[in-house]
């Protein structure tokens, strides 16, 4: 793993123990980062709400490892994990969350970031709003003929948005190089998805638009990576879009402001999913492959050190100048 948190060789087949250890370190980085950001939100150092990604790390890492640098990514408000898996600097990301001028967006966006250096277009705070943006990026690549692909992450709650269905229809009819990754964690805020949709398999939504739809265990990073790799390859070859339903779970809660959420989940449900924690599953496989526990411990230590350094550098970063308040808002007249 690079010092930015990106798996070193996106786009290649990750199957060796060394590759999987790289996955493990990136997932550990995301886990350590999210826990620290929740603590710092309680301490009011983080500006704005925190939507933790704890429990879903395998989805971000598995998908982003299947991408090339030229590919576009669109995230949502739970986007720290996507950014770190894609290669965003933890230092710049943390400075943004602290509202500092060295942040990705000059300290003005908080959790809703963009990162042009890694082709992250936006992480939208509007449910479902990133999906047509990703379709626009995919259409741009198609028109230019450059072979790039657009990937968009969204939760199961986004499928209730009308614009999502419009985009599904357009993506299929125009065979856009688009990969739609639904992080199906079973909840929409505090509401169980089964109370909103009559069918628990969300594949039917995509299939209703005749889009290729693939289910995957979202807590198995290698399964996610294979599914994403197939979808990206199909998009690049002109075979059109793919909808991936990654079944996963948030082991923390939906949202935190100053204090941790009091949201409650059924204990039996929590026990089931915590036993299937993506880091536990990957660690078990690595140990079975002969990787020493000390290697896993060192990966976690390196991840923790990256987070500690990012926080300290963000604390030392300057606040935006008053003269910067109205920059990056309106286009300058030519």
């Amino acid at each position: 793993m690079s010092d930015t948190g990106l798996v070193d060789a996106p786009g290649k087949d990750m199957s060796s123990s060394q590759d999987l250890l790289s996955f493990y370190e990136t997932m550990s980085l995301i886990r350590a980062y999210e826990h620290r950001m929740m603590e710092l939100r309680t301490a009011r150092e983080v500006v704005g709400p925190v939507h933790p990604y704890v429990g879903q790390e395998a989805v971000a890492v598995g998908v982003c490892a299947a991408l090339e640098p030229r590919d576009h990514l669109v995230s949502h408000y739970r986007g720290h994990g996507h950014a770190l898996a894609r290669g965003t600097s933890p230092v710049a990301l943390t400075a943004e969350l602290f509202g500092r001028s060295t942040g990705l967006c000059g300290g003005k966006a908080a959790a809703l970031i963009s990162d042009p250096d890694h082709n992250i277009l936006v992480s939208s705070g509007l449910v479902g709003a990133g999906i047509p943006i990703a379709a626009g990026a995919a259409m741009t690549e198609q028109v230019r003929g450059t072979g790039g692909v657009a990937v968009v992450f969204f939760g199961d709650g986004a499928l209730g948005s009308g614009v999502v269905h419009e985009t599904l229809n357009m993506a299929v009819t125009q065979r856009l190089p688009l990969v739609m990754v639904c992080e199906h964690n079973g909840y929409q805020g505090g509401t169980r998805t089964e109370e909103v949709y009559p069918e628990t398999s969300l594949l039917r939504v995509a299939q209703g638009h005749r889009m290729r739809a693939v289910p995957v265990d979202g807590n198995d990073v290698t399964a996610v990576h294979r599914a994403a790799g197939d979808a990206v390859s199909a998009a690049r070859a002109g075979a059109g879009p793919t909808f991936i339903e990654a079944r996963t779970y948030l082991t923390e809660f939906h949202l935190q402001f100053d204090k941790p959420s009091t949201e409650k989940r059924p204990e039996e449900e929590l026990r089931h999913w915590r036993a299937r924690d993506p880091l536990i599953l990957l660690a078990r496989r690595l140990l079975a492959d002969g990787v020493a526990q000390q290697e896993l411990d060192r990966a976690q230590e390196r991840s923790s050190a990256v987070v500690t350094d990012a926080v300290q550098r963000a604390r030392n970063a300057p606040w935006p100048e008053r003269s910067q308040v109205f920059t990056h808002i309106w286009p300058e007249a030519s």
Side-chain angles (χ1 to χ4, degrees):
M1 186 182 76
S2 71
D3 59 3
T4 64
L6 177 66
V7 173
D8 289 319
K12 75 170 184 174
D13 178 33
M14 298 284 188
S15 56
S16 72
S17 294
Q18 195 59 43
D19 292 330
L20 295 180
L21 187 59
S22 179
F23 280 164
Y24 183 82
E25 187 163 341
T26 306
M27 290 164 61
S28 296
L29 172 64
I30 296 169
R31 178 70 57 88
Y33 190 86
E34 294 292 72
H35 278 302
R36 189 68 178 121
M37 291 308 108
M38 287 187 281
E39 294 173 353
L40 293 172
R41 182 63 186 96
T42 301
R44 298 191 176 185
E45 289 191 73
V46 167
V47 178
V50 170
H51 293 80
Y53 197 66
V54 176
Q56 299 186 186
E57 296 88 351
V59 182
V61 172
V63 171
C64 288
L67 303 180
E68 296 179 2
R70 61 177 167 166
D71 296 327
H72 302 282
L73 186 149
V74 176
S75 181
H76 51 78
Y77 49 76
R78 199 180 308 283
H80 304 163
H82 306 146
L84 292 171
R86 183 63 169 149
T88 293
S89 162
V91 175
L93 177 60
T94 308
E96 186 60 41
L97 297 179
F98 276 41
R100 305 305 174 98
S101 63
T102 55
L104 289 168
C105 303
K108 299 176 183 178
L112 305 177
I113 63 164
S114 64
D115 181 3
D117 290 340
H118 295 91
N119 270 354
I120 300 178
L121 298 179
V122 67
S123 57
S124 175
L126 301 177
V127 176
I131 294 173
I133 294 173
M139 186 177 293
T140 299
E141 292 295 328
Q142 185 182 66
V143 169
R144 290 177 174 172
T146 51
V149 171
V151 172
V152 58
F153 293 95
F154 54 95
D156 27 317
L159 294 177
S161 175
V163 71
V164 174
H165 294 268
E166 294 170 9
T167 305
L168 282 162
N169 182 67
M170 178 181 292
V172 171
T173 57
Q174 300 200 24
R175 301 177 69 85
L176 296 181
L178 176 66
V179 179
M180 302 178 65
V181 183
C182 178
E183 298 175 308
H184 185 179
N185 60 37
Y187 282 86
Q188 301 178 26
T191 304
R192 297 178 71 93
T193 296
E194 63 198 43
E195 298 174 7
V196 180
Y197 296 133
E199 172 59 60
T200 56
S201 172
L202 303 184
L203 296 174
R204 292 182 183 274
V205 175
Q207 290 167 344
H209 292 275
R210 298 188 178 182
M211 181 179 289
R212 177 174 179 259
V214 179
V216 68
D217 179 354
N219 284 18
D220 181 342
V221 68
T222 57
V224 173
H225 183 251
R226 283 194 299 271
D230 289 345
V232 168
S233 295
R236 240 187 266 290
T242 299
F243 180 102
I244 297 174
E245 181 190 23
R247 294 299 296 265
T248 184
Y249 193 77
L250 280 178
T251 49
E252 293 293 334
F253 38 73
H254 174 69
L255 168 66
Q256 177 187 340
F257 285 101
D258 287 353
K259 296 179 181 179
S261 172
T262 57
E263 179 183 324
K264 299 295 183 183
R265 305 275 178 86
E267 284 299 323
E268 184 177 348
E269 179 179 284
L270 283 168
R271 281 195 299 271
H272 168 77
W273 283 102
R274 283 174 175 160
R276 299 203 70 260
D277 183 286
L279 280 162
I280 291 175
L281 295 182
L282 184 53
R284 190 177 298 155
R285 174 172 176 178
L286 285 164
L287 292 171
D289 287 348
V291 176
Q293 180 64 52
Q294 292 88 334
E295 281 293 310
L296 304 185
D297 294 341
R298 281 194 285 269
Q300 291 190 347
E301 290 167 4
R302 287 192 294 269
S303 297
S304 295
V306 169
V307 175
T308 298
D309 176 68
V311 169
Q312 190 57 49
R313 291 169 68 176
R315 282 173 173 159
N316 294 334
W319 293 99
E321 297 288 341
R322 289 183 180 274
S323 61
Q324 296 176 310
V325 170
F326 296 109
T327 59
H328 307 107
I329 297 177
W330 309 109
E332 296 183 5
S334 57

